[in-house]
Amino acid sequence: MSRVQRILVASALLVIAAFGLLVAATQTTMIWYQAPGADGIATEQVAVFEPAVVGTVIAAVAVLALLVHLILVIRRAVPRLQWVVAVALTVATVIAAVLVSIADRPVF
């Protein structure tokens, strides 16, 4: 594989993982409204969705590792095992984002 192809593949893996991070991170908070009280005003409540926090942490670690991988690929050729790990990290990020997206939300 040429140097340009290695850089493009490493960049594509990083972009895919970054999108997974974006998906997981945007689902960390849930906004709901408490029933109106005696004064007739409904108050806004914010809750944290814990599976999204876990998915965000997993995706953030993977994105940081893939960023380091991209820097190493730019500098020199890397071993095949490192490419396998990079692909596995990207797959883990996508799986984490999908699991966060389909997880059941609590009912308030």
Side-chain angles (χ1 to χ4, degrees):
M1 191 176 343
S2 72
R3 182 174 188 258
V4 173
Q5 288 175 332
R6 289 191 312 259
I7 292 172
L8 287 176
V9 170
S11 298
L13 293 175
L14 179 63
V15 168
I16 292 168
F19 280 132
L21 174 63
L22 181 67
V23 167
T26 56
Q27 299 182 39
T28 55
T29 58
M30 297 183 311
I31 298 174
W32 55 281
Y33 293 91
Q34 194 169 11
D39 55 0
I41 298 175
T43 57
E44 181 179 279
Q45 304 291 320
V46 178
V48 176
F49 186 50
E50 288 87 5
V53 174
V54 173
T56 301
V57 169
I58 291 170
V61 169
V63 166
L64 287 175
L66 288 169
L67 183 61
V68 170
H69 173 70
L70 176 62
I71 292 170
L72 290 175
V73 166
I74 290 172
R75 295 182 64 207
R76 61 180 170 82
V78 295
R80 187 171 301 213
L81 180 63
Q82 189 169 339
W83 283 104
V84 172
V85 171
V87 170
L89 286 172
T90 304
V91 169
T93 302
V94 170
I95 289 173
V98 168
L99 288 177
V100 167
S101 297
I102 64 172
D104 289 335
R105 304 298 193 267
V107 179
F108 297 104

